[in-house]
PDB file of all heavy atoms in Angstrom:
ATOM      1  N   PRO R  13      96.693   3.145 -43.451  1.00 72.00           N
ATOM      2  CA  PRO R  13      95.525   3.969 -43.013  1.00 72.00           C
ATOM      3  C   PRO R  13      96.007   5.200 -42.337  1.00 72.00           C
ATOM      4  O   PRO R  13      97.067   5.122 -41.582  1.00 72.00           O
ATOM      5  CB  PRO R  13      94.752   2.999 -42.183  1.00 72.00           C
ATOM      6  CG  PRO R  13      95.714   2.052 -41.740  1.00 72.00           C
ATOM      7  CD  PRO R  13      96.767   1.860 -42.758  1.00 72.00           C
ATOM      8  N   VAL R  14      95.259   6.325 -42.409  1.00 70.00           N
ATOM      9  CA  VAL R  14      95.743   7.511 -41.838  1.00 70.00           C
ATOM     10  C   VAL R  14      95.286   7.710 -40.322  1.00 70.00           C
ATOM     11  O   VAL R  14      95.754   8.616 -39.657  1.00 70.00           O
ATOM     12  CB  VAL R  14      95.291   8.789 -42.572  1.00 70.00           C
ATOM     13  CG1 VAL R  14      95.863   8.775 -43.936  1.00 70.00           C
ATOM     14  CG2 VAL R  14      93.738   8.827 -42.683  1.00 70.00           C
ATOM     15  N   ASP R  15      94.365   6.835 -39.943  1.00 67.00           N
ATOM     16  CA  ASP R  15      93.796   7.122 -38.568  1.00 67.00           C
ATOM     17  C   ASP R  15      94.740   6.713 -37.430  1.00 67.00           C
ATOM     18  O   ASP R  15      94.475   6.950 -36.371  1.00 67.00           O
ATOM     19  CB  ASP R  15      92.438   6.425 -38.411  1.00 67.00           C
ATOM     20  CG  ASP R  15      92.444   5.049 -38.889  1.00 67.00           C
ATOM     21  OD1 ASP R  15      93.581   4.531 -39.168  1.00 67.00           O
ATOM     22  OD2 ASP R  15      91.389   4.386 -39.020  1.00 67.00           O
ATOM     23  N   ASN R  16      95.854   6.038 -37.821  1.00 66.00           N
ATOM     24  CA  ASN R  16      96.859   5.722 -36.765  1.00 66.00           C
ATOM     25  C   ASN R  16      97.916   6.722 -36.658  1.00 66.00           C
ATOM     26  O   ASN R  16      98.874   6.542 -35.942  1.00 66.00           O
ATOM     27  CB  ASN R  16      97.359   4.316 -36.974  1.00 66.00           C
ATOM     28  CG  ASN R  16      98.247   4.298 -38.303  1.00 66.00           C
ATOM     29  OD1 ASN R  16      98.269   5.246 -39.031  1.00 66.00           O
ATOM     30  ND2 ASN R  16      98.734   3.118 -38.632  1.00 66.00           N
ATOM     31  N   ILE R  17      97.827   7.863 -37.340  1.00 69.00           N
ATOM     32  CA  ILE R  17      98.812   8.883 -37.251  1.00 69.00           C
ATOM     33  C   ILE R  17      98.391   9.888 -36.082  1.00 69.00           C
ATOM     34  O   ILE R  17      97.742  10.889 -36.381  1.00 69.00           O
ATOM     35  CB  ILE R  17      99.023   9.653 -38.606  1.00 69.00           C
ATOM     36  CG1 ILE R  17      99.345   8.670 -39.693  1.00 69.00           C
ATOM     37  CG2 ILE R  17     100.152  10.689 -38.386  1.00 69.00           C
ATOM     38  CD1 ILE R  17      99.603   9.399 -40.969  1.00 69.00           C
ATOM     39  N   LEU R  18      98.701   9.551 -34.933  1.00 72.00           N
ATOM     40  CA  LEU R  18      98.279  10.428 -33.895  1.00 72.00           C
ATOM     41  C   LEU R  18      99.505  11.203 -33.214  1.00 72.00           C
ATOM     42  O   LEU R  18      99.412  12.367 -33.052  1.00 72.00           O
ATOM     43  CB  LEU R  18      97.602   9.639 -32.687  1.00 72.00           C
ATOM     44  CG  LEU R  18      96.283   9.011 -33.145  1.00 72.00           C
ATOM     45  CD1 LEU R  18      95.745   8.043 -32.107  1.00 72.00           C
ATOM     46  CD2 LEU R  18      95.230  10.135 -33.469  1.00 72.00           C
ATOM     47  N   ASP R  19     100.581  10.421 -33.144  1.00 87.00           N
ATOM     48  CA  ASP R  19     101.755  11.072 -32.530  1.00 87.00           C
ATOM     49  C   ASP R  19     102.531  11.834 -33.664  1.00 87.00           C
ATOM     50  O   ASP R  19     102.301  11.620 -34.802  1.00 87.00           O
ATOM     51  CB  ASP R  19     102.653  10.005 -31.911  1.00 87.00           C
ATOM     52  CG  ASP R  19     102.928   8.911 -32.922  1.00 87.00           C
ATOM     53  OD1 ASP R  19     102.143   8.682 -33.812  1.00 87.00           O
ATOM     54  OD2 ASP R  19     104.051   8.219 -32.680  1.00 87.00           O
ATOM     55  N   ASP R  20     103.459  12.775 -33.211  1.00 93.00           N
ATOM     56  CA  ASP R  20     104.276  13.459 -34.197  1.00 93.00           C
ATOM     57  C   ASP R  20     105.333  12.592 -34.725  1.00 93.00           C
ATOM     58  O   ASP R  20     105.919  11.745 -34.035  1.00 93.00           O
ATOM     59  CB  ASP R  20     104.887  14.655 -33.468  1.00 93.00           C
ATOM     60  CG  ASP R  20     103.858  15.861 -33.460  1.00 93.00           C
ATOM     61  OD1 ASP R  20     102.912  15.796 -34.121  1.00 93.00           O
ATOM     62  OD2 ASP R  20     104.236  16.808 -32.693  1.00 93.00           O
ATOM     63  N   PHE R  21     105.657  12.782 -36.025  1.00 95.00           N
ATOM     64  CA  PHE R  21     106.880  12.157 -36.622  1.00 95.00           C
ATOM     65  C   PHE R  21     108.061  12.663 -35.820  1.00 95.00           C
ATOM     66  O   PHE R  21     108.174  13.790 -35.585  1.00 95.00           O
ATOM     67  CB  PHE R  21     106.828  12.487 -38.065  1.00 95.00           C
ATOM     68  CG  PHE R  21     108.018  12.012 -38.822  1.00 95.00           C
ATOM     69  CD1 PHE R  21     108.028  10.613 -39.254  1.00 95.00           C
ATOM     70  CD2 PHE R  21     109.159  12.702 -39.101  1.00 95.00           C
ATOM     71  CE1 PHE R  21     109.133  10.090 -39.896  1.00 95.00           C
ATOM     72  CE2 PHE R  21     110.238  12.144 -39.728  1.00 95.00           C
ATOM     73  CZ  PHE R  21     110.243  10.889 -40.171  1.00 95.00           C
ATOM     74  N   ASP R  22     108.927  11.653 -35.502  1.00 96.00           N
ATOM     75  CA  ASP R  22     110.178  12.042 -34.762  1.00 96.00           C
ATOM     76  C   ASP R  22     111.338  12.304 -35.718  1.00 96.00           C
ATOM     77  O   ASP R  22     112.059  11.470 -36.177  1.00 96.00           O
ATOM     78  CB  ASP R  22     110.562  10.823 -33.873  1.00 96.00           C
ATOM     79  CG  ASP R  22     111.620  11.244 -32.929  1.00 96.00           C
ATOM     80  OD1 ASP R  22     112.408  12.239 -33.112  1.00 96.00           O
ATOM     81  OD2 ASP R  22     111.688  10.574 -31.795  1.00 96.00           O
ATOM     82  N   PHE R  23     111.480  13.632 -36.034  1.00 97.00           N
ATOM     83  CA  PHE R  23     112.504  14.040 -36.975  1.00 97.00           C
ATOM     84  C   PHE R  23     113.906  13.739 -36.476  1.00 97.00           C
ATOM     85  O   PHE R  23     114.751  13.241 -37.205  1.00 97.00           O
ATOM     86  CB  PHE R  23     112.380  15.567 -37.220  1.00 97.00           C
ATOM     87  CG  PHE R  23     111.141  15.917 -38.037  1.00 97.00           C
ATOM     88  CD1 PHE R  23     109.977  16.340 -37.500  1.00 97.00           C
ATOM     89  CD2 PHE R  23     111.224  15.951 -39.469  1.00 97.00           C
ATOM     90  CE1 PHE R  23     108.847  16.612 -38.211  1.00 97.00           C
ATOM     91  CE2 PHE R  23     110.091  16.197 -40.221  1.00 97.00           C
ATOM     92  CZ  PHE R  23     108.982  16.559 -39.637  1.00 97.00           C
ATOM     93  N   GLU R  24     114.137  14.078 -35.198  1.00 97.00           N
ATOM     94  CA  GLU R  24     115.503  13.889 -34.686  1.00 97.00           C
ATOM     95  C   GLU R  24     115.959  12.390 -34.704  1.00 97.00           C
ATOM     96  O   GLU R  24     117.115  12.137 -35.181  1.00 97.00           O
ATOM     97  CB  GLU R  24     115.608  14.311 -33.212  1.00 97.00           C
ATOM     98  CG  GLU R  24     115.736  15.805 -33.014  1.00 97.00           C
ATOM     99  CD  GLU R  24     114.333  16.529 -33.261  1.00 97.00           C
ATOM    100  OE1 GLU R  24     113.301  15.896 -33.056  1.00 97.00           O
ATOM    101  OE2 GLU R  24     114.350  17.726 -33.592  1.00 97.00           O
ATOM    102  N   LYS R  25     115.051  11.549 -34.321  1.00 97.00           N
ATOM    103  CA  LYS R  25     115.434  10.123 -34.266  1.00 97.00           C
ATOM    104  C   LYS R  25     115.755   9.623 -35.684  1.00 97.00           C
ATOM    105  O   LYS R  25     116.768   8.917 -35.973  1.00 97.00           O
ATOM    106  CB  LYS R  25     114.227   9.309 -33.746  1.00 97.00           C
ATOM    107  CG  LYS R  25     114.584   7.850 -33.365  1.00 97.00           C
ATOM    108  CD  LYS R  25     113.362   7.157 -32.832  1.00 97.00           C
ATOM    109  CE  LYS R  25     112.678   6.322 -33.892  1.00 97.00           C
ATOM    110  NZ  LYS R  25     111.445   5.694 -33.535  1.00 97.00           N
ATOM    111  N   ASN R  26     115.007  10.117 -36.679  1.00 97.00           N
ATOM    112  CA  ASN R  26     115.315   9.683 -38.091  1.00 97.00           C
ATOM    113  C   ASN R  26     116.522  10.314 -38.621  1.00 97.00           C
ATOM    114  O   ASN R  26     117.237   9.692 -39.430  1.00 97.00           O
ATOM    115  CB  ASN R  26     114.048   9.955 -38.900  1.00 97.00           C
ATOM    116  CG  ASN R  26     113.023   8.890 -38.865  1.00 97.00           C
ATOM    117  OD1 ASN R  26     113.064   7.912 -39.541  1.00 97.00           O
ATOM    118  ND2 ASN R  26     112.019   9.045 -37.935  1.00 97.00           N
ATOM    119  N   LEU R  27     116.772  11.573 -38.305  1.00 97.00           N
ATOM    120  CA  LEU R  27     118.035  12.167 -38.830  1.00 97.00           C
ATOM    121  C   LEU R  27     119.237  11.422 -38.334  1.00 97.00           C
ATOM    122  O   LEU R  27     120.333  11.345 -39.039  1.00 97.00           O
ATOM    123  CB  LEU R  27     118.018  13.623 -38.325  1.00 97.00           C
ATOM    124  CG  LEU R  27     117.168  14.632 -39.097  1.00 97.00           C
ATOM    125  CD1 LEU R  27     117.127  16.018 -38.368  1.00 97.00           C
ATOM    126  CD2 LEU R  27     117.589  14.815 -40.538  1.00 97.00           C
ATOM    127  N   LYS R  28     119.161  10.874 -37.155  1.00 97.00           N
ATOM    128  CA  LYS R  28     120.306  10.120 -36.623  1.00 97.00           C
ATOM    129  C   LYS R  28     120.600   8.828 -37.432  1.00 97.00           C
ATOM    130  O   LYS R  28     121.791   8.304 -37.376  1.00 97.00           O
ATOM    131  CB  LYS R  28     120.097   9.708 -35.186  1.00 97.00           C
ATOM    132  CG  LYS R  28     120.173  10.843 -34.166  1.00 97.00           C
ATOM    133  CD  LYS R  28     120.329  10.397 -32.764  1.00 97.00           C
ATOM    134  CE  LYS R  28     120.339  11.505 -31.752  1.00 97.00           C
ATOM    135  NZ  LYS R  28     118.989  11.911 -31.369  1.00 97.00           N
ATOM    136  N   LEU R  29     119.708   8.397 -38.186  1.00 97.00           N
ATOM    137  CA  LEU R  29     119.870   7.223 -39.016  1.00 97.00           C
ATOM    138  C   LEU R  29     120.638   7.482 -40.293  1.00 97.00           C
ATOM    139  O   LEU R  29     120.902   6.618 -41.057  1.00 97.00           O
ATOM    140  CB  LEU R  29     118.513   6.483 -39.384  1.00 97.00           C
ATOM    141  CG  LEU R  29     117.610   6.122 -38.154  1.00 97.00           C
ATOM    142  CD1 LEU R  29     116.266   5.718 -38.689  1.00 97.00           C
ATOM    143  CD2 LEU R  29     118.257   5.046 -37.398  1.00 97.00           C
ATOM    144  N   PHE R  30     120.934   8.765 -40.503  1.00 97.00           N
ATOM    145  CA  PHE R  30     121.505   9.158 -41.820  1.00 97.00           C
ATOM    146  C   PHE R  30     122.759  10.028 -41.499  1.00 97.00           C
ATOM    147  O   PHE R  30     122.545  11.184 -41.109  1.00 97.00           O
ATOM    148  CB  PHE R  30     120.513   9.874 -42.675  1.00 97.00           C
ATOM    149  CG  PHE R  30     121.069  10.314 -44.037  1.00 97.00           C
ATOM    150  CD1 PHE R  30     121.415   9.362 -44.953  1.00 97.00           C
ATOM    151  CD2 PHE R  30     121.147  11.649 -44.371  1.00 97.00           C
ATOM    152  CE1 PHE R  30     121.892   9.761 -46.243  1.00 97.00           C
ATOM    153  CE2 PHE R  30     121.543  12.078 -45.683  1.00 97.00           C
ATOM    154  CZ  PHE R  30     121.953  11.038 -46.551  1.00 97.00           C
ATOM    155  N   ASP R  31     123.901   9.450 -41.624  1.00 96.00           N
ATOM    156  CA  ASP R  31     125.154  10.252 -41.411  1.00 96.00           C
ATOM    157  C   ASP R  31     125.562  10.898 -42.695  1.00 96.00           C
ATOM    158  O   ASP R  31     126.292  10.252 -43.493  1.00 96.00           O
ATOM    159  CB  ASP R  31     126.239   9.311 -40.819  1.00 96.00           C
ATOM    160  CG  ASP R  31     127.499  10.134 -40.467  1.00 96.00           C
ATOM    161  OD1 ASP R  31     127.641  11.331 -40.922  1.00 96.00           O
ATOM    162  OD2 ASP R  31     128.398   9.641 -39.740  1.00 96.00           O
ATOM    163  N   LYS R  32     125.098  12.082 -42.955  1.00 96.00           N
ATOM    164  CA  LYS R  32     125.247  12.754 -44.246  1.00 96.00           C
ATOM    165  C   LYS R  32     126.635  12.845 -44.563  1.00 96.00           C
ATOM    166  O   LYS R  32     127.103  12.520 -45.769  1.00 96.00           O
ATOM    167  CB  LYS R  32     124.593  14.118 -44.211  1.00 96.00           C
ATOM    168  CG  LYS R  32     124.476  14.668 -45.584  1.00 96.00           C
ATOM    169  CD  LYS R  32     123.782  16.120 -45.425  1.00 96.00           C
ATOM    170  CE  LYS R  32     123.773  16.934 -46.749  1.00 96.00           C
ATOM    171  NZ  LYS R  32     123.569  18.349 -46.419  1.00 96.00           N
ATOM    172  N   LYS R  33     127.551  13.263 -43.653  1.00 96.00           N
ATOM    173  CA  LYS R  33     128.910  13.511 -43.959  1.00 96.00           C
ATOM    174  C   LYS R  33     129.597  12.137 -44.300  1.00 96.00           C
ATOM    175  O   LYS R  33     130.360  12.120 -45.329  1.00 96.00           O
ATOM    176  CB  LYS R  33     129.615  14.004 -42.652  1.00 96.00           C
ATOM    177  CG  LYS R  33     130.981  14.624 -42.886  1.00 96.00           C
ATOM    178  CD  LYS R  33     131.354  15.569 -41.691  1.00 96.00           C
ATOM    179  CE  LYS R  33     132.852  15.818 -41.733  1.00 96.00           C
ATOM    180  NZ  LYS R  33     133.639  14.581 -41.303  1.00 96.00           N
ATOM    181  N   ALA R  34     129.308  11.109 -43.532  1.00 96.00           N
ATOM    182  CA  ALA R  34     129.934   9.806 -43.951  1.00 96.00           C
ATOM    183  C   ALA R  34     129.463   9.286 -45.308  1.00 96.00           C
ATOM    184  O   ALA R  34     130.252   8.801 -46.117  1.00 96.00           O
ATOM    185  CB  ALA R  34     129.579   8.767 -42.869  1.00 96.00           C
ATOM    186  N   VAL R  35     128.145   9.484 -45.548  1.00 96.00           N
ATOM    187  CA  VAL R  35     127.649   9.053 -46.831  1.00 96.00           C
ATOM    188  C   VAL R  35     128.243   9.804 -47.994  1.00 96.00           C
ATOM    189  O   VAL R  35     128.604   9.242 -49.025  1.00 96.00           O
ATOM    190  CB  VAL R  35     126.062   9.182 -46.879  1.00 96.00           C
ATOM    191  CG1 VAL R  35     125.484   9.106 -48.244  1.00 96.00           C
ATOM    192  CG2 VAL R  35     125.442   8.196 -45.882  1.00 96.00           C
ATOM    193  N   TYR R  36     128.407  11.132 -47.729  1.00 95.00           N
ATOM    194  CA  TYR R  36     129.035  11.967 -48.885  1.00 95.00           C
ATOM    195  C   TYR R  36     130.483  11.511 -49.052  1.00 95.00           C
ATOM    196  O   TYR R  36     130.972  11.447 -50.171  1.00 95.00           O
ATOM    197  CB  TYR R  36     128.976  13.423 -48.465  1.00 95.00           C
ATOM    198  CG  TYR R  36     127.726  14.122 -48.839  1.00 95.00           C
ATOM    199  CD1 TYR R  36     126.517  13.366 -49.022  1.00 95.00           C
ATOM    200  CD2 TYR R  36     127.658  15.432 -49.094  1.00 95.00           C
ATOM    201  CE1 TYR R  36     125.344  13.930 -49.375  1.00 95.00           C
ATOM    202  CE2 TYR R  36     126.473  16.099 -49.426  1.00 95.00           C
ATOM    203  CZ  TYR R  36     125.251  15.348 -49.597  1.00 95.00           C
ATOM    204  OH  TYR R  36     124.163  15.940 -49.973  1.00 95.00           O
ATOM    205  N   GLU R  37     131.206  11.295 -48.024  1.00 94.00           N
ATOM    206  CA  GLU R  37     132.613  10.883 -48.140  1.00 94.00           C
ATOM    207  C   GLU R  37     132.675   9.532 -48.879  1.00 94.00           C
ATOM    208  O   GLU R  37     133.536   9.408 -49.767  1.00 94.00           O
ATOM    209  CB  GLU R  37     133.243  10.643 -46.766  1.00 94.00           C
ATOM    210  CG  GLU R  37     133.683  12.018 -46.149  1.00 94.00           C
ATOM    211  CD  GLU R  37     134.066  11.964 -44.750  1.00 94.00           C
ATOM    212  OE1 GLU R  37     134.088  10.828 -44.152  1.00 94.00           O
ATOM    213  OE2 GLU R  37     134.277  13.032 -44.150  1.00 94.00           O
ATOM    214  N   GLU R  38     131.775   8.717 -48.669  1.00 93.00           N
ATOM    215  CA  GLU R  38     131.767   7.407 -49.310  1.00 93.00           C
ATOM    216  C   GLU R  38     131.496   7.608 -50.829  1.00 93.00           C
ATOM    217  O   GLU R  38     132.107   7.057 -51.757  1.00 93.00           O
ATOM    218  CB  GLU R  38     130.653   6.494 -48.736  1.00 93.00           C
ATOM    219  CG  GLU R  38     130.743   5.011 -49.259  1.00 93.00           C
ATOM    220  CD  GLU R  38     129.637   4.153 -48.744  1.00 93.00           C
ATOM    221  OE1 GLU R  38     129.021   4.577 -47.694  1.00 93.00           O
ATOM    222  OE2 GLU R  38     129.294   3.190 -49.320  1.00 93.00           O
ATOM    223  N   ILE R  39     130.476   8.455 -51.138  1.00 93.00           N
ATOM    224  CA  ILE R  39     130.131   8.760 -52.513  1.00 93.00           C
ATOM    225  C   ILE R  39     131.328   9.382 -53.227  1.00 93.00           C
ATOM    226  O   ILE R  39     131.716   8.987 -54.374  1.00 93.00           O
ATOM    227  CB  ILE R  39     128.898   9.764 -52.616  1.00 93.00           C
ATOM    228  CG1 ILE R  39     127.683   9.088 -52.142  1.00 93.00           C
ATOM    229  CG2 ILE R  39     128.716  10.264 -54.019  1.00 93.00           C
ATOM    230  CD1 ILE R  39     126.401   9.912 -52.045  1.00 93.00           C
ATOM    231  N   GLU R  40     131.959  10.324 -52.583  1.00 92.00           N
ATOM    232  CA  GLU R  40     133.084  11.011 -53.168  1.00 92.00           C
ATOM    233  C   GLU R  40     134.342  10.126 -53.336  1.00 92.00           C
ATOM    234  O   GLU R  40     135.076  10.296 -54.331  1.00 92.00           O
ATOM    235  CB  GLU R  40     133.409  12.311 -52.409  1.00 92.00           C
ATOM    236  CG  GLU R  40     132.375  13.416 -52.630  1.00 92.00           C
ATOM    237  CD  GLU R  40     132.437  14.426 -51.547  1.00 92.00           C
ATOM    238  OE1 GLU R  40     133.384  14.541 -50.788  1.00 92.00           O
ATOM    239  OE2 GLU R  40     131.433  15.253 -51.427  1.00 92.00           O
ATOM    240  N   SER R  41     134.497   9.157 -52.512  1.00 91.00           N
ATOM    241  CA  SER R  41     135.697   8.350 -52.589  1.00 91.00           C
ATOM    242  C   SER R  41     135.457   7.259 -53.638  1.00 91.00           C
ATOM    243  O   SER R  41     136.390   6.793 -54.295  1.00 91.00           O
ATOM    244  CB  SER R  41     136.002   7.644 -51.211  1.00 91.00           C
ATOM    245  OG  SER R  41     134.966   6.837 -50.920  1.00 91.00           O
ATOM    246  N   SER R  42     134.217   6.969 -53.844  1.00 87.00           N
ATOM    247  CA  SER R  42     133.984   5.932 -55.010  1.00 87.00           C
ATOM    248  C   SER R  42     133.848   6.628 -56.363  1.00 87.00           C
ATOM    249  O   SER R  42     133.948   5.949 -57.393  1.00 87.00           O
ATOM    250  CB  SER R  42     132.790   5.139 -54.641  1.00 87.00           C
ATOM    251  OG  SER R  42     131.628   5.959 -54.466  1.00 87.00           O
TER     252      SER R  42
END
Side-chain angles (χ1 to χ4, degrees):
Chain R
V14 296
D15 46 11
N16 62 359
I17 305 182
L18 293 169
D19 52 336
D20 277 349
F21 178 79
D22 191 337
F23 288 94
E24 281 77 23
K25 194 180 96 188
N26 276 275
L27 284 171
K28 286 201 184 82
L29 302 173
F30 182 64
D31 184 343
K32 189 178 175 201
K33 194 161 165 287
V35 168
Y36 275 25
E37 279 167 7
E38 192 185 339
I39 291 174
E40 283 161 18
S41 65
S42 55

